[in-house]
Amino acid sequence: MPVTVSLASRSYDIAVGSGNLNNAGSLLASFKPVSRAVILTDVNVQSFGYAQSVAAAIADAGIDASILSVPAGEQSKSIETADTLWQTLLEDGTDRKAVLVTVGGGVIGDLGGFVAATYARGIRFFQVPTTLLAQVDSSVGGKVGIDLPNAKNMVGAFHQPLGVLIDTETLQTLSNEQYLCGLGEAVKYGESLDAGLFEYLEENSGKINRRDNEVLQKIVSECCRIKAQIVSEDEYETTGRRILLNYGHTFAHSFETMSGFTLLHGLAVASGAMCAAQLAVKLGLIDDALRQRFEQLHKSLHLPAEIPVNINADEAVALMQHDKKTEFGELNFVLPTGLGQCKTVKCTPQTVRDSVWG
Ligand code: NAD
Ligand code: GLY
C-alpha cells in the first residue's frame, strides 16, 4: 500500500518497493496530459543507470523522455545551475504540460523541485529519490530550493511533487558514508516521533548494517508515513508541528558550519540528537537511561554516539544564536520528552553550554 501525503488537491502517493523503477512509466502516464518528461539526475547517479531505467520506462508508456545531468554534489544547488536548467528547458520547448522527474539524492530533488516551481511560473514534478536520506526525508513534503554562497537552502519554495517512487534496491550502491547519513535521519524519527520505529531499529541493527532489502523497505515506508502525517498536518511549518522534524538539527547546523560543510548532514544530525538528549536529561525531560538507550542504538548502527568533544562549545553556541529559530536571544530546541516523543523548548545559550559541555 502506498503512503499518502494528504493535502487536499495537492495530495500524492509515495510508492515504496524494490526493483520498481519501471513503474515510473505507468505512474507518469496516470497524470495525463503529459507533453514530455524531463529527467534530472547527477553524473554519479547516471553512472549506475537509474535515470536511464526511469527514462526507458516512461518512453515505453508512450511519453517522450530526455535526460539532463548536472555535476554531483551540493554545489549544484546553485542559481547558476538553476539558470542553465531554465535555459535548457526553454530551448527544448518545454511547456506547462511537461513533468520534471528528479532521479537522485536530496540535491537533485531540491534543485529539480526548485526549477519546476519557478520555470513558466511552475510545472509539475515527480520524485525518484535514490539516497537513503532522500527516501526517508527530502523527497517528501515539498520543500525545494537552492543555496546562497553562505546560506544553505536560503532561496526556495513549497512545491509538492505529483508523487514519489522509491526503489530501495538503489541503496545497495550508496557509499557507506551516504548510507549512514540516511540512517541518522531514520533514527531521528524513531527517537523523537515513533517508539515503534525506534524498537524496530534496535531489533534489526544487524540486518540494517547488512542493508537487508526487506528491512530497508520497512524502515523507508515507516519514515515516509511519519513525515507524510506531519506534513499533512502542517504543510507550511506554521503550527509548530512540522518543526518537530528538526530534532537534533539546531546542534547539527552549527557542527556542519564549523566543519566548513565537510561533515555530512545526517552524521551531524546523529551527533545533534545525542546533544539534544543530553540537554533533555539536564532539564529533567527524560532520564539518563533513555539517553543511554539512544547512545546504544547509535553505536550498533555505527553512527556518531557521543557529544563531539573536539567542538569548541562557545563557537557552537554562538553559531546557534544565528539560527533562524532564535527568538529574543533564546534558542529553540526540539527535545525528547520520552521514547518517540518530543516538544520544542526555549533555552538560554548559557544553559545549553553548561548542560551539554559543562
Ligand atoms: P546528494 O544528493 O548530494 O547525494 C549524495 C551522493 O550520493 C551524491 O554524490 C550522489 O551522486 C550519490 N548518490 C545518489 N544516489 C546514489 C545511489 N543510489 N548510489 C550511489 N550513489 C548515489 O545528497 P543527499 O544526502 O541525498 O541530500 C542532501 C541534500 O538534501 C542537501 O542539499 C539538503 O539540504 C537536502 N535536504 C532537503 C530536505 C528537504 O526537505 N527538502 C531535507 C533534508 C535534506
Ligand atoms: N526536513 C524537514 C522538513 O521537511 O520539514
Side-chain angles (χ1 to χ4, degrees):
M1 284 293 286
V3 174
T4 300
V5 184
S6 301
L7 294 168
S9 63
R10 281 165 291 103
S11 297
Y12 55 96
D13 284 344
I14 305 162
V16 182
S18 176
N20 57 350
L21 289 183
N22 56 1
N23 292 351
S26 53
L27 280 170
L28 218 60
S30 70
F31 298 107
K32 62 175 170 279
V34 177
S35 57
R36 60 188 292 250
V38 179
I39 291 135
L40 180 67
T41 192
D42 73 37
V43 288
N44 201 6
V45 174
Q46 199 173 6
S47 71
F48 296 104
Y50 302 134
Q52 296 88 324
S53 299
V54 169
I58 292 173
D60 283 350
I63 299 168
D64 180 41
S66 58
I67 298 177
L68 295 178
S69 193
V70 299
E74 188 71 28
Q75 71 273 14
S76 280
K77 263 177 66 174
S78 66
I79 191 68
E80 290 79 16
T81 316
D83 185 36
T84 306
L85 292 171
W86 288 321
Q87 294 294 341
T88 310
L89 292 178
L90 181 66
E91 283 156 23
D92 291 351
T94 309
D95 64 19
R96 281 187 160 163
K97 295 280 183 273
V99 176
L100 197 151
V101 181
T102 58
V103 181
V107 163
I108 291 302
D110 283 13
L111 170 71
F114 176 72
V115 167
T118 45
Y119 178 78
R121 293 203 184 87
I123 62 170
R124 297 170 297 170
F125 87 118
F126 190 93
Q127 294 259 34
V128 185
T130 61
T131 63
L132 185 55
L133 183 137
Q135 294 185 356
V136 300
D137 187 357
S138 65
S139 64
V140 176
K143 280 188 184 175
V144 297
I146 55 172
D147 302 330
L148 292 182
N150 296 315
K152 263 193 84 180
N153 298 325
M154 205 58 203
V155 178
F158 286 94
H159 188 55
Q160 300 294 343
L162 282 177
V164 184
L165 172 63
I166 296 178
D167 178 358
T168 54
E169 269 292 320
T170 61
L171 303 177
Q172 299 301 332
T173 54
L174 273 185
S175 70
N176 199 37
E177 210 177 25
Q178 293 296 345
Y179 182 65
L180 287 180
C181 275
L183 281 185
E185 294 283 1
V187 167
K188 168 201 83 172
Y189 288 111
E191 289 175 359
S192 59
L193 291 163
D194 196 290
L197 173 62
F198 184 88
E199 284 158 3
Y200 185 82
L201 296 171
E202 277 185 326
E203 284 157 18
N204 290 282
S205 59
K207 287 185 175 171
I208 295 168
N209 292 335
R210 292 194 295 279
R211 302 193 196 186
D212 179 283
N213 194 30
E214 216 169 289
V215 168
L216 283 172
Q217 281 184 63
K218 166 84 174 164
I219 292 168
V220 171
S221 297
E222 282 303 291
C223 293
C224 287
R225 179 186 58 74
I226 296 162
K227 183 157 182 184
Q229 178 65 36
I230 288 197
V231 169
S232 300
E233 290 166 10
D234 182 16
E235 182 180 9
Y236 298 113
E237 208 166 282
T238 50
T239 70
R241 197 73 188 121
R242 187 162 180 168
I243 203 79
L244 298 182
L245 293 169
N246 285 344
Y247 165 64
H249 281 59
T250 305
F251 288 101
H253 289 152
S254 71
F255 302 157
E256 285 176 273
T257 308
M258 287 169 82
S259 76
F261 294 97
T262 54
L263 176 62
L264 293 176
H265 178 68
L267 300 180
V269 167
S271 291
M274 289 315 304
C275 295
Q278 168 78 6
L279 181 54
V281 170
K282 289 288 163 77
L283 296 178
L285 297 171
I286 59 168
D287 55 31
D288 198 55
L290 182 58
R291 188 199 61 77
Q292 287 178 35
R293 205 170 151 193
F294 290 180
E295 186 178 322
Q296 186 50 49
L297 178 63
H298 286 227
K299 284 184 175 154
S300 318
L301 297 176
H302 310 296
L303 286 168
E306 319 286 346
I307 310 288
V309 281
N310 53 347
I311 286 275
N312 180 310
D314 292 324
E315 201 185 326
V317 173
L319 276 168
M320 287 175 216
Q321 288 177 267
H322 294 140
D323 193 279
K324 292 197 278 281
K325 293 182 282 301
T326 304
E327 280 172 6
F328 305 112
E330 283 201 310
L331 300 165
N332 251 331
F333 290 92
V334 179
L335 298 183
T337 52
L339 181 59
Q341 291 165 12
C342 63
K343 67 174 183 179
T344 47
V345 176
K346 285 192 196 315
C347 248
T348 64
Q350 192 61 42
T351 306
V352 179
R353 202 201 172 298
D354 294 348
S355 303
V356 179
W357 285 281

